[in-house]
Amino acid sequence: MKSHRFQELDMMRGFAACWVVGVHFWYFNFLPPFFGYSHFFEYAKVVGPASTIAKFFPLPFNSVGNIVLDLVNIFFLLGYQGVHIFFILSGFGLAYSRILKPDESWINFIRKKFFRLYPTYWILLAVSFIIPRLRADLFYGYFDWWSFWRSWIILDKAIPFSWFMFPLIQFCLCFFWLFKYLQKLSIEQFLLTTFVIKVIYTFLVLILGFNNVFSPILGDLSYPGYLAISRLFEFCLGMAMAKVYASNPTLLINYLTKPVTIALAIFFEILGIMGCFTFSNAIKFFGVILPFGLSFYDAFIGFGIFVIIFNICRGLIKISYLITSFLTWISNISYELYLTQFIGLIVIPKFFTVVVRGEPSLLTATRAILLYVLIIEIGIVNAFLLQQLTNSIARRVRFAMGLFTSGLK
């Protein structure tokens, strides 16, 4: 079967990586001092995992500067949706690779995918072990060695913002069964089944966390994100798209670009965002808090934001070669950029002033944008170096294993 290069997906991967870096910069480096808090954890205790629409508009629309800062705030606050794009793209990539190589042994297939992800993470874990201040500085003095050791078996994160890879590796390890059901069931049955499983699991775990039955260990801010089942629908949505694309690329593209699909995506995007708000997660029944919103919000957002960003990238291909080339290039180091972004987030506040009290809001917004660009540049350099190091180590290991195998013969 001939491989079809899907340029829009490459661009989406690059955009998602930059977008995720943006939300972490905004949440950790900008919003806490902007609202007068000393650090992120103090700010998070007040805001909590859910909020209201007022969170998107911190300043009144009474000046150009305020409007610009509010618009920048909306863009960065929605940056967490880049992770939803990542999960769908990961499901698409794994399923499409398997469809293109149906005769490859499953052991060999999983081995290649697993070792594409894990060695890079191990290298950064070693850096965290040698220089624990890298983690402590970002988490304002907090460094738990038990957390560090659990991170070696993907049950905790010693590298800031590395939780994404835990469910991703779990998906790789159980991909054989997911792919089996993708082939066995229709697209509708496959997606409906995975959606129901995801919502039920997430809802039950959140009930326990929200009602203080146990202290959550499966994610941050009471969200069970470390286990793959919480992101099952998004990953399987990507798998379903790969199945359609492999049989008829035009069919999938036509569906994603239909006005009806775009309108439906915007509707689900709005529903998903509303699912993050407090009113959707503070419903009480016989004294028990029922977090309905957080149980389904990511599944809705996953579909909605994927379709929206896909069409934006498709439009950019036609009008801007420079942006297209940049995002496509970033996609090649997106995984490493995700894992090394914390370095830039540590460096920036040490050498630059992020928020100045009493200055015009337009100047604050401008400074924030420039610092974000600088963090992206720092991240690109670190990501490229990490990728080169990982590839060099992998080549040496393969060469040594080849010599060892030849010696046995």
Side-chain angles (χ1 to χ4, degrees):
M1 183 181 295
K2 185 178 179 181
S3 174
H4 302 275
R5 193 66 188 176
F6 210 159
Q7 188 174 22
E8 289 88 344
L9 300 194
D10 288 336
M11 293 178 63
M12 292 176 69
R13 186 177 293 106
F15 173 78
C18 295
W19 207 12
V20 169
V21 174
V23 69
H24 290 148
F25 158 68
W26 201 250
Y27 261 125
F28 277 80
N29 288 354
F30 182 84
L31 285 184
F34 182 80
F35 287 112
Y37 296 99
S38 60
H39 55 71
F40 169 76
F41 290 110
E42 182 182 333
Y43 166 74
K45 286 180 181 179
V46 177
V47 175
S51 62
T52 67
I53 196 170
K55 180 179 178 180
F56 292 97
F57 306 99
L59 299 179
F61 273 39
N62 55 11
S63 69
V64 174
N66 287 3
I67 293 174
V68 171
L69 193 142
D70 281 346
L71 292 177
V72 173
N73 179 66
I74 293 172
F75 173 78
F76 281 128
L77 283 185
L78 294 178
Y80 69 91
Q81 299 190 9
V83 178
H84 303 298
I85 295 175
F86 272 135
F87 278 117
I88 296 176
L89 292 176
S90 298
F92 184 98
L94 272 177
Y96 191 57
S97 298
R98 182 60 190 175
I99 292 172
L100 292 179
K101 299 178 181 179
D103 298 327
E104 184 178 12
S105 70
W106 274 105
I107 293 179
N108 189 49
F109 179 83
I110 298 301
R111 179 183 58 81
K112 289 193 299 185
K113 301 302 180 182
F114 182 82
F115 283 103
R116 164 68 182 91
L117 298 174
Y118 224 168
T120 303
Y121 177 71
W122 279 337
I123 290 174
L124 284 179
L125 266 183
V127 173
S128 296
F129 178 77
I130 297 170
I131 316 176
R133 290 300 307 175
L134 287 178
R135 184 171 187 262
D137 283 352
L138 187 59
F139 285 134
Y140 312 102
Y142 170 76
F143 187 86
D144 183 358
W145 282 107
W146 282 110
S147 173
F148 174 82
W149 294 117
R150 286 196 302 268
S151 66
W152 288 88
I153 54 174
I154 60 175
L155 290 177
D156 206 337
K157 60 179 188 294
I159 304 169
F161 315 122
S162 62
W163 72 268
F164 163 75
M165 72 165 298
F166 300 163
L168 186 57
I169 290 176
Q170 294 164 30
F171 278 130
C172 288
L173 296 177
C174 69
F175 183 70
F176 169 80
W177 290 278
L178 291 176
F179 191 80
K180 179 180 179 181
Y181 284 110
L182 176 66
Q183 294 178 309
K184 182 179 180 180
L185 303 176
S186 67
I187 295 294
E188 294 79 9
Q189 291 173 328
F190 182 70
L191 292 179
L192 179 60
T193 301
T194 55
F195 177 79
V196 171
I197 293 173
K198 172 263 180 300
V199 171
I200 292 176
Y201 163 79
T202 306
F203 181 69
L204 292 177
V205 173
L206 286 173
I207 284 181
L208 298 177
F210 270 61
N211 292 280
N212 299 316
V213 177
F214 77 110
S215 180
I217 60 173
L218 302 179
D220 295 325
L221 299 176
S222 301
Y223 190 79
Y226 288 179
L227 293 187
I229 196 170
S230 66
R231 305 289 179 169
L232 182 64
F233 175 77
E234 297 158 272
F235 186 84
C236 291
L237 176 60
M239 292 180 61
M241 289 183 183
K243 182 178 180 179
V244 175
Y245 185 74
S247 61
N248 188 343
T250 303
L251 179 63
L252 178 62
I253 294 174
N254 288 343
Y255 174 75
L256 292 174
T257 55
K258 286 171 58 176
V260 174
T261 305
I262 297 173
L264 190 63
I266 295 174
F267 174 72
F268 275 97
E269 169 75 5
I270 294 173
L271 284 181
I273 292 175
M274 291 177 64
C276 299
F277 290 167
T278 302
F279 75 87
S280 300
N281 300 282
I283 303 171
K284 286 190 176 183
F285 183 74
F286 289 106
V288 178
I289 301 175
L290 303 178
F292 284 114
L294 290 176
S295 300
F296 67 79
Y297 89 99
D298 46 1
F300 284 11
I301 285 177
F303 167 75
I305 198 62
F306 186 91
V307 174
I308 293 170
I309 299 301
F310 176 85
N311 283 277
I312 291 176
C313 289
R314 193 165 179 81
L316 288 174
I317 291 175
K318 300 176 182 179
I319 64 176
S320 177
Y321 174 79
L322 181 62
I323 296 178
T324 300
S325 300
F326 174 74
L327 293 179
T328 302
W329 180 75
I330 288 293
S331 71
N332 297 322
I333 57 171
S334 59
Y335 174 62
E336 290 80 8
L337 178 60
Y338 185 92
L339 286 179
T340 59
Q341 60 180 294
F342 72 94
I343 298 175
L345 295 173
I346 292 173
V347 170
I348 288 300
K350 285 185 176 297
F351 296 97
F352 297 91
T353 301
V354 179
V355 174
V356 176
R357 294 294 171 192
E359 73 175 2
S361 53
L362 184 60
L363 182 58
T364 299
T366 303
R367 180 191 293 107
I369 293 173
L370 292 176
L371 291 179
Y372 165 66
V373 172
L374 183 57
I375 289 177
I376 290 293
E377 293 174 350
I378 294 173
I380 289 174
V381 173
N382 292 324
F384 180 78
L385 293 176
L386 178 61
Q387 188 181 73
Q388 294 301 308
L389 177 60
T390 304
N391 291 340
S392 176
I393 293 175
R395 284 194 299 267
R396 292 174 184 275
V397 171
R398 285 195 297 267
F399 178 74
M401 291 180 64
L403 292 177
F404 178 75
T405 303
S406 300
L408 292 177
K409 293 179 179 180

